[in-house]
Amino acid sequence: MDKKIKNKLIDNKIIYTIVYDERDYETALDVKEYIENTFKKYMNGYPYAVDLVKFSQLSVNTEASALYVLKSSTENIKKAANIARQKGIISFSYDINNLKYDLLFSLIIENSTILYLNKEYLHTNNIDFVDSLLSMVRFIGKNSI
């Protein structure tokens, strides 16, 4: 999705980091397994790793090419969004309400998959989206959530 993904590689691979609260450890493991079963060693032609990081251990020094944020307190969601912006990486959540805390994407699976993009962060310097992605997403402002 990001034309500048090469700038986000860590040791020549994508590090997809799932951030979770202690009570969601099993969910984090399920998401990790789903990603590994779906992408079979490569994501967009790059090797990848899926890391699990507790919110309490998340910092700007956490190695991550993208963050997938599970449910947590507003404070933790904002912390993850802020770190993603500082690092210039994409941030996801399944909960559309988390976009109001400055995460970039929400992925909703209903009858079909719907990808919402927080339009306030569409024009960032560190992320350049492929055109096909922009034709698929639904743009949403954090004030309209």
Side-chain angles (χ1 to χ4, degrees):
M1 293 188 293
D2 184 357
K3 292 179 191 175
K4 297 180 179 180
I5 192 66
K6 286 184 180 181
N7 299 339
K8 294 154 186 85
L9 297 178
I10 300 164
D11 294 330
N12 243 1
K13 64 183 171 185
I14 294 171
I15 304 295
Y16 193 84
T17 302
I18 301 169
V19 189
Y20 68 97
D21 272 335
E22 188 78 32
R23 68 179 183 264
D24 271 341
Y25 178 68
E26 292 299 322
T27 302
L29 282 176
D30 289 344
V31 172
K32 177 180 180 173
E33 182 180 333
Y34 175 80
I35 292 168
E36 291 173 344
N37 289 335
T38 300
F39 290 98
K40 307 286 186 203
K41 299 183 183 181
Y42 292 92
M43 223 179 249
N44 292 345
Y46 296 99
Y48 72 91
V50 179
D51 288 349
L52 304 181
V53 176
K54 293 179 191 175
F55 279 100
S56 61
Q57 296 173 332
L58 181 66
S59 76
V60 75
N61 296 320
T62 301
E63 291 187 335
S65 305
L67 294 181
Y68 184 75
V69 180
L70 297 182
K71 61 185 171 185
S72 188
S73 67
T74 299
E75 179 181 305
N76 280 339
I77 302 294
K78 287 180 178 181
K79 173 185 173 182
N82 186 44
I83 288 169
R85 275 195 319 280
Q86 286 179 50
K87 293 174 80 62
I89 61 174
I90 293 173
S91 58
F92 292 90
S93 174
Y94 64 89
D95 187 348
I96 193 169
N97 290 311
N98 288 337
L99 294 185
K100 65 184 167 190
Y101 304 124
D102 295 333
L103 293 177
L104 192 57
F105 284 105
S106 175
L107 180 64
I108 308 290
I109 300 173
E110 297 171 344
N111 292 335
S112 62
T113 301
I114 302 171
L115 186 62
Y116 291 94
L117 172 61
N118 187 339
K119 66 182 179 182
E120 278 85 4
Y121 296 97
L122 178 59
H123 301 290
T124 64
N125 292 331
N126 297 321
I127 302 170
D128 186 14
F129 298 110
V130 296
D131 294 336
S132 59
L133 171 71
L134 296 178
S135 66
M136 296 179 346
V137 300
R138 292 187 187 174
F139 294 96
I140 190 162
K142 65 181 179 180
N143 294 329
S144 61
I145 299 170

